[in-house]
Amino acid sequence: FKSTQMEFLPKVPNGLKTIEQCFIDDLIVNYDVFVFDVDGVLIGPSGTIDKSFQVLEYLQRKCMKLVYLFSNNGMESRESFAEMLQRRFQFGISPSRIICPSFLAAEYLKMNHPHVRSIYAIGTQNMEEELKKNGFEVRGGYSHKDKVVTNVWLKGQTFDSDADAVVVCKDYHINQYKIMCASFAIQKGAVFVGTNRDPRYDMKKFFTPDTGAYVKALEVATEKKAEIIGKPEKFGFNYLKHSITQEWKNMKQVQSENSKPRIIMIGDSLQYDIKGANEAGLDSCLVLSGNNQLDDIPKNNIDPKFV
């Protein structure tokens, strides 16, 4: 990373600008807040993507810009996310500047379904901790990792299906018992929340089912549509914009309702990062280190402002 210029990139379709066509200093001046996706932007399959965290440090410390992270990784709480970044990459960021699905799920339920007190969780222990921290009673999750369905007719077996809501995220301990508990709860009227619709996760040699696969299975079984709160959905991006605006106004001591920070979203996914940012009225920058490449832009008909 250089403070004056980025590496040159080849031709870009649709007349889009590459970062090499504008000076980095000018780009930095034009925005108050830089929002980064994490997987495929900062972190790759073998660790940190070259100099990615140095860029964030440069923006925070040298340029005095606000840096937020907006991830569809629901396996972490905001605190565990911040701890992981510090431990693995020596990058420090306040948990309040991390927007992740476990936190969004809690906020979504409080704002849109205030009656919810108990949650059946398909997800990780970190997700459960985030939900508990926000005042919810959490069932299922890690505590049900070894549960099995004892017989096909379910005779003599009980299922934890009385929760007010079901929250579904990636779960490395997913099993039939959890799927059945969640399915029964949803059919009995529980609010059905999915953290995202990511269908599969790229393991390089193979793909593995991701959160969207679990969500789809439950939608098919229950004939109920999940309420999705992560990228590219409006709720996640609106919450991000609200959080940023409040912090920016407090920092700048801005009183006017019309004053808003200039925000840019940097991501590797046209369908999740760029589409969501564009629909939320944010500028967007596609990086080519993850899900999409240049020739995907005309195929998807989703245009980032920068590449």
Side-chain angles (χ1 to χ4, degrees):
F1 177 77
K2 298 178 181 178
S3 63
T4 56
Q5 196 172 348
M6 290 290 276
E7 292 181 351
F8 282 73
L9 292 173
K11 293 179 181 179
V12 179
N14 301 333
L16 297 169
K17 295 179 181 178
T18 60
I19 295 297
E20 112 270 0
Q21 292 168 321
C22 64
F23 289 101
I24 285 294
D25 290 342
D26 292 337
L27 184 70
I28 290 171
V29 165
N30 285 332
Y31 296 100
D32 304 300
V33 186
F34 291 76
V35 181
F36 290 85
D37 179 35
V38 179
D39 293 323
V41 177
L42 306 177
I43 304 172
S46 13
T48 178
I49 291 173
D50 189 33
K51 298 178 182 174
S52 59
F53 287 103
Q54 289 171 257
V55 174
L56 271 62
E57 292 282 6
Y58 179 83
L59 290 169
Q60 287 190 136
R61 299 182 185 279
K62 298 292 185 182
C63 305
M64 305 303 291
K65 299 293 182 177
L66 274 180
V67 170
Y68 269 68
L69 303 181
F70 188 14
S71 174
N72 259 6
N73 179 359
M75 297 176 67
E76 305 287 348
S77 66
R78 293 200 296 176
E79 285 72 18
S80 68
F81 219 131
E83 290 168 5
M84 179 271 291
L85 294 173
Q86 181 66 59
R87 182 180 69 255
R88 290 183 58 191
F89 307 108
Q90 294 74 55
F91 174 71
I93 187 170
S94 168
S96 65
R97 293 181 183 171
I98 298 174
I99 306 296
C100 60
S102 58
F103 173 73
L104 283 176
E107 292 298 301
Y108 179 83
L109 289 170
K110 287 190 287 187
M111 293 168 65
N112 293 279
H113 300 283
H115 72 282
V116 171
R117 296 290 181 269
S118 60
I119 295 171
Y120 189 87
I122 292 179
T124 65
Q125 288 176 291
N126 287 329
M127 185 192 83
E128 293 177 47
E129 287 304 313
E130 187 72 72
L131 296 173
K132 289 176 182 176
K133 191 173 294 183
N134 280 273
F136 295 103
E137 174 200 341
V138 179
R139 304 174 182 178
Y142 189 77
S143 66
H144 284 179
K145 69 183 180 68
D146 296 321
K147 291 277 191 176
V148 296
V149 179
T150 55
N151 64 81
V152 69
W153 300 112
L154 313 182
K155 292 180 179 179
Q157 187 164 16
T158 59
F159 291 85
D160 192 342
S161 59
D162 293 325
D164 301 322
V166 171
V167 175
V168 182
C169 188
K170 178 181 269 187
D171 186 341
Y172 285 125
H173 300 284
I174 190 75
N175 58 42
Q176 183 67 14
Y177 183 85
K178 290 183 184 181
I179 290 289
M180 292 177 76
C181 287
S183 174
F184 295 162
I186 293 164
Q187 291 175 74
K188 290 165 80 172
V191 177
F192 181 14
V193 173
T195 55
N196 60 67
R197 289 195 181 277
D198 295 353
R200 60 184 189 170
Y201 185 75
D202 187 356
M203 304 290 289
K204 292 308 169 186
K205 291 186 177 181
F206 302 99
F207 290 94
T208 184
D210 209 336
T211 304
Y214 310 151
V215 170
K216 188 64 177 177
L218 287 167
E219 287 181 329
V220 171
T222 64
E223 298 186 332
K224 304 286 185 181
K225 200 79 171 171
E227 300 172 36
I228 306 298
I229 47 86
K231 293 181 293 186
E233 303 302 325
K234 289 181 180 179
F235 179 81
F237 274 95
N238 286 341
Y239 193 94
L240 172 77
K241 287 169 61 178
H242 175 77
S243 298
I244 288 172
T245 300
Q246 292 301 113
E247 182 175 2
W248 180 79
K249 284 187 174 183
N250 290 337
M251 284 180 60
K252 300 294 183 182
Q253 298 183 333
V254 174
Q255 301 297 327
S256 171
E257 288 296 322
N258 296 323
S259 295
K260 296 180 181 179
R262 299 164 298 173
I263 306 169
I264 185 167
M265 173 84 208
I266 298 99
D268 68 310
S269 169
L270 289 166
Q271 290 290 342
Y272 291 93
D273 304 313
I274 307 306
K275 178 184 177 182
N278 290 351
E279 292 179 349
L282 305 180
D283 285 352
S284 58
C285 176
L286 177 70
V287 296
L288 307 178
S289 51
N291 281 322
N292 291 119
Q293 298 301 309
L294 289 175
D295 57 359
D296 293 322
I297 295 173
K299 293 176 187 176
N300 286 271
N301 197 29
I302 299 170
D303 292 340
K305 183 163 185 178
F306 300 104
V307 175

